Amino acid sequence: RNRVSSAKFDEVGTMDDKDIDSAKMQVQGQMAAQYIQEVMQKITDKCFHKCVTKPGPKLDDSEKVCMAKCMDRYLDSMAIVSQAWAARAKAQAAMGDGGF
């Protein structure tokens, strides 16, 4: 059962802080999952178009190798970019500047 729909409301119909935080976390998790799914779809599409020159009922060995290497490169690049953004955000937070 969805936590947001089961949140407790007080007499005037407002959620308490704990329920609000829980709802925020749930929405953030859903947004992150959707983002990851979209990125993986884009990577798969790009690698497929790069590696599969003659689509058929199954991939040949060179297409499999190309797909694996292509996906690995994209995922490695994403990890590097994510780490750089996290480091930048942490440095800015330490300086007291929350904005980018």
Side-chain angles (χ1 to χ4, degrees):
R1 192 166 160 198
N2 191 333
R3 287 185 149 187
V4 175
S5 64
S6 65
K8 296 181 181 104
F9 292 88
D10 64 18
E11 284 124 32
V12 285
T14 58
M15 295 171 63
D16 64 26
D17 289 343
K18 184 176 131 191
D19 290 329
I20 291 171
D21 290 342
S22 175
K24 284 180 184 178
M25 287 178 59
Q26 183 178 7
V27 169
Q28 287 172 343
Q30 290 171 347
M31 289 174 63
Q34 180 179 356
Y35 172 75
I36 290 169
Q37 186 176 17
E38 288 171 4
V39 168
M40 291 304 297
Q41 184 62 49
K42 286 179 186 177
I43 292 171
T44 302
D45 290 345
K46 287 179 186 277
C47 291
F48 183 85
H49 290 297
K50 178 185 183 303
C51 297
V52 181
T53 55
K54 295 180 276 178
K58 58 185 193 173
L59 299 176
D60 66 29
D61 289 342
S62 65
E63 291 170 332
K64 289 177 187 176
V65 170
C66 181
M67 285 291 291
K69 287 182 178 182
C70 181
M71 297 287 286
D72 286 345
R73 278 195 304 271
Y74 269 105
L75 294 173
D76 288 345
S77 299
M78 282 180 50
I80 291 168
V81 170
S82 295
Q83 289 171 357
W85 273 103
R88 180 178 174 187
K90 185 176 180 180
Q92 287 184 341
M95 294 185 322
D97 180 15
F100 279 76

